[in-house]
PDB file of all heavy atoms in Angstrom:
ATOM      1  N   PRO A  28     119.551  95.190  48.588  1.00 90.00           N
ATOM      2  CA  PRO A  28     118.914  96.274  49.353  1.00 90.00           C
ATOM      3  C   PRO A  28     118.368  95.753  50.682  1.00 90.00           C
ATOM      4  O   PRO A  28     117.959  94.591  50.789  1.00 90.00           O
ATOM      5  CB  PRO A  28     117.776  96.737  48.433  1.00 90.00           C
ATOM      6  CG  PRO A  28     118.126  96.236  47.072  1.00 90.00           C
ATOM      7  CD  PRO A  28     118.882  94.966  47.288  1.00 90.00           C
ATOM      8  N   LEU A  29     118.372  96.600  51.701  1.00 93.00           N
ATOM      9  CA  LEU A  29     117.808  96.261  53.001  1.00 93.00           C
ATOM     10  C   LEU A  29     116.507  97.033  53.190  1.00 93.00           C
ATOM     11  O   LEU A  29     116.488  98.259  53.164  1.00 93.00           O
ATOM     12  CB  LEU A  29     118.774  96.635  54.126  1.00 93.00           C
ATOM     13  CG  LEU A  29     118.198  96.516  55.550  1.00 93.00           C
ATOM     14  CD1 LEU A  29     118.014  95.054  55.927  1.00 93.00           C
ATOM     15  CD2 LEU A  29     119.081  97.237  56.564  1.00 93.00           C
ATOM     16  N   THR A  30     115.411  96.279  53.361  1.00 93.00           N
ATOM     17  CA  THR A  30     114.120  96.890  53.649  1.00 93.00           C
ATOM     18  C   THR A  30     113.913  96.896  55.159  1.00 93.00           C
ATOM     19  O   THR A  30     114.147  95.893  55.833  1.00 93.00           O
ATOM     20  CB  THR A  30     112.974  96.122  52.970  1.00 93.00           C
ATOM     21  OG1 THR A  30     113.172  96.138  51.556  1.00 93.00           O
ATOM     22  CG2 THR A  30     111.624  96.762  53.285  1.00 93.00           C
ATOM     23  N   ILE A  31     113.473  98.028  55.698  1.00 93.00           N
ATOM     24  CA  ILE A  31     113.197  98.173  57.123  1.00 93.00           C
ATOM     25  C   ILE A  31     111.698  98.393  57.298  1.00 93.00           C
ATOM     26  O   ILE A  31     111.109  99.238  56.612  1.00 93.00           O
ATOM     27  CB  ILE A  31     113.975  99.363  57.723  1.00 93.00           C
ATOM     28  CG1 ILE A  31     115.483  99.193  57.471  1.00 93.00           C
ATOM     29  CG2 ILE A  31     113.699  99.514  59.209  1.00 93.00           C
ATOM     30  CD1 ILE A  31     116.314 100.410  57.841  1.00 93.00           C
ATOM     31  N   GLY A  32     111.072  97.615  58.168  1.00 90.00           N
ATOM     32  CA  GLY A  32     109.634  97.779  58.370  1.00 90.00           C
ATOM     33  C   GLY A  32     109.070  96.755  59.333  1.00 90.00           C
ATOM     34  O   GLY A  32     109.795  95.975  59.951  1.00 90.00           O
ATOM     35  N   ARG A  33     107.727  96.745  59.448  1.00 85.00           N
ATOM     36  CA  ARG A  33     107.028  95.819  60.334  1.00 85.00           C
ATOM     37  C   ARG A  33     106.829  94.446  59.703  1.00 85.00           C
ATOM     38  O   ARG A  33     106.662  93.445  60.395  1.00 85.00           O
ATOM     39  CB  ARG A  33     105.636  96.366  60.693  1.00 85.00           C
ATOM     40  CG  ARG A  33     105.628  97.591  61.547  1.00 85.00           C
ATOM     41  CD  ARG A  33     104.208  98.119  61.704  1.00 85.00           C
ATOM     42  NE  ARG A  33     103.343  97.151  62.375  1.00 85.00           N
ATOM     43  CZ  ARG A  33     103.052  97.182  63.666  1.00 85.00           C
ATOM     44  NH1 ARG A  33     103.563  98.147  64.411  1.00 85.00           N
ATOM     45  NH2 ARG A  33     102.261  96.290  64.205  1.00 85.00           N
ATOM     46  N   GLY A  34     106.780  94.380  58.385  1.00 83.00           N
ATOM     47  CA  GLY A  34     106.443  93.151  57.673  1.00 83.00           C
ATOM     48  C   GLY A  34     107.453  92.039  57.886  1.00 83.00           C
ATOM     49  O   GLY A  34     108.638  92.282  58.131  1.00 83.00           O
ATOM     50  N   GLN A  35     106.987  90.795  57.761  1.00 80.00           N
ATOM     51  CA  GLN A  35     107.860  89.640  57.977  1.00 80.00           C
ATOM     52  C   GLN A  35     108.944  89.531  56.915  1.00 80.00           C
ATOM     53  O   GLN A  35     109.961  88.873  57.129  1.00 80.00           O
ATOM     54  CB  GLN A  35     107.027  88.355  58.015  1.00 80.00           C
ATOM     55  CG  GLN A  35     106.116  88.259  59.237  1.00 80.00           C
ATOM     56  CD  GLN A  35     105.470  86.906  59.371  1.00 80.00           C
ATOM     57  OE1 GLN A  35     105.664  86.024  58.543  1.00 80.00           O
ATOM     58  NE2 GLN A  35     104.694  86.734  60.430  1.00 80.00           N
ATOM     59  N   GLU A  36     108.730  90.134  55.755  1.00 81.00           N
ATOM     60  CA  GLU A  36     109.725  90.061  54.694  1.00 81.00           C
ATOM     61  C   GLU A  36     110.823  91.110  54.856  1.00 81.00           C
ATOM     62  O   GLU A  36     111.787  91.116  54.088  1.00 81.00           O
ATOM     63  CB  GLU A  36     109.036  90.244  53.322  1.00 81.00           C
ATOM     64  CG  GLU A  36     107.992  89.190  53.000  1.00 81.00           C
ATOM     65  CD  GLU A  36     108.569  87.783  53.046  1.00 81.00           C
ATOM     66  OE1 GLU A  36     109.675  87.581  52.510  1.00 81.00           O
ATOM     67  OE2 GLU A  36     107.923  86.889  53.616  1.00 81.00           O
ATOM     68  N   ALA A  37     110.683  91.994  55.814  1.00 88.00           N
ATOM     69  CA  ALA A  37     111.689  93.045  56.009  1.00 88.00           C
ATOM     70  C   ALA A  37     113.016  92.446  56.460  1.00 88.00           C
ATOM     71  O   ALA A  37     113.048  91.533  57.288  1.00 88.00           O
ATOM     72  CB  ALA A  37     111.195  94.065  57.033  1.00 88.00           C
ATOM     73  N   GLY A  38     114.113  92.964  55.925  1.00 89.00           N
ATOM     74  CA  GLY A  38     115.435  92.501  56.348  1.00 89.00           C
ATOM     75  C   GLY A  38     115.725  92.893  57.788  1.00 89.00           C
ATOM     76  O   GLY A  38     116.421  92.187  58.513  1.00 89.00           O
ATOM     77  N   LEU A  39     115.223  94.058  58.212  1.00 90.00           N
ATOM     78  CA  LEU A  39     115.300  94.497  59.610  1.00 90.00           C
ATOM     79  C   LEU A  39     113.867  94.788  60.047  1.00 90.00           C
ATOM     80  O   LEU A  39     113.266  95.785  59.646  1.00 90.00           O
ATOM     81  CB  LEU A  39     116.178  95.740  59.735  1.00 90.00           C
ATOM     82  CG  LEU A  39     116.317  96.336  61.150  1.00 90.00           C
ATOM     83  CD1 LEU A  39     116.852  95.294  62.129  1.00 90.00           C
ATOM     84  CD2 LEU A  39     117.228  97.553  61.125  1.00 90.00           C
ATOM     85  N   GLN A  40     113.304  93.878  60.833  1.00 87.00           N
ATOM     86  CA  GLN A  40     111.901  93.981  61.224  1.00 87.00           C
ATOM     87  C   GLN A  40     111.794  94.653  62.584  1.00 87.00           C
ATOM     88  O   GLN A  40     112.398  94.214  63.560  1.00 87.00           O
ATOM     89  CB  GLN A  40     111.264  92.592  61.276  1.00 87.00           C
ATOM     90  CG  GLN A  40     109.762  92.624  61.494  1.00 87.00           C
ATOM     91  CD  GLN A  40     109.156  91.239  61.507  1.00 87.00           C
ATOM     92  OE1 GLN A  40     109.816  90.291  61.911  1.00 87.00           O
ATOM     93  NE2 GLN A  40     107.914  91.113  61.065  1.00 87.00           N
TER      94      GLN A  40
END
Side-chain angles (χ1 to χ4, degrees):
L29 171 71
T30 299
I31 303 171
R33 292 174 62 98
Q35 292 189 358
E36 299 303 316
L39 178 57
Q40 188 179 31

